[in-house]
Every structure is written in C-alpha cells, then in structure tokens.
Amino acid sequence: MVTAEFAVGILAVIPIVLSLTLLVAAAAVQVQVLEAARTGARMLARGDTEEAVRAQVMGAAPGTQVQINEVDENAEVIVSRPMGGLGVLPEFTIAGTARTPAERR
C-alpha cells in the first residue's frame, strides 16, 4: 500500500519540480539577456559600429537575436532569446530592452 501511495506522490511532484526548474532557468536567461542589451546600448551610445555591438551581444548571450534602433537621440538595443519547447512545455521568448542617450561629440 505504501508503494502505491509513493508512486502517486512522485507523479504529482515531478511536474512541480520541472516547472520550478524552468522558472529558475528563465530567470537566469532574463538576467543574461537584459545585461547583454545594456552592454550593447552603452556601446552604441559611445559610437561603436552595429557589427561590433552585435558581436559583443552574441558573445555575452549566445543564441540570441539582436535588434538595434536609434530613436531620436537614444541608442536602443532589444535582445531576445527563445526558450522552452521541451516535451509538453510551451516555447516562449524572453526579451530585454535597453535605451541609452547617445553621447555628443
């Protein structure tokens, strides 16, 4: 009788553990993506080329997509990365945006 209760308990705990693991991984990726966007925005505001910014962001956060915009006098970098999609888990995108005023020369 104890074995059957243990088996049912394990089946209830496994999805919770998997969900918590995915949540912690998503939080880590969010921090990584946001920091890469901030670094890219600072580089762009300093006057670095878009190619150098892309290379730096891709090096800091592998597997990401980078979008570079110059809005008014601001340098904006949007970094996104798909995540999830394993088994029954849904796929979603984590994004980070940073905007920095361009430096005047």
Side-chain angles (χ1 to χ4, degrees):
M1 189 180 292
V2 172
T3 305
E5 292 169 351
F6 183 73
V8 171
I10 288 292
L11 290 177
V13 170
I14 289 175
I16 294 170
V17 170
L18 288 176
S19 297
L20 290 175
T21 303
L22 182 63
L23 183 64
V24 169
V29 170
Q30 177 67 41
V31 170
Q32 183 182 33
V33 164
L34 189 56
E35 187 58 34
R38 288 178 181 160
T39 300
R42 284 193 304 266
M43 288 178 65
L44 195 60
R46 279 193 324 237
D48 290 347
T49 64
E50 288 189 15
E51 292 80 20
V53 171
R54 286 184 196 282
Q56 179 67 31
V57 169
M58 296 294 280
T64 58
Q65 299 171 350
V66 183
Q67 181 181 352
I68 297 174
N69 301 321
E70 292 190 34
V71 181
D72 298 325
E73 294 183 4
N74 294 321
E76 181 182 66
V77 177
I78 302 169
V79 180
S80 61
R81 178 177 173 191
M83 190 168 177
L86 301 172
V88 297
L89 298 175
E91 183 173 338
F92 54 94
T93 301
I94 295 178
T97 302
R99 184 179 294 166
T100 305
E103 294 181 5
R104 298 180 190 225
R105 297 179 191 203

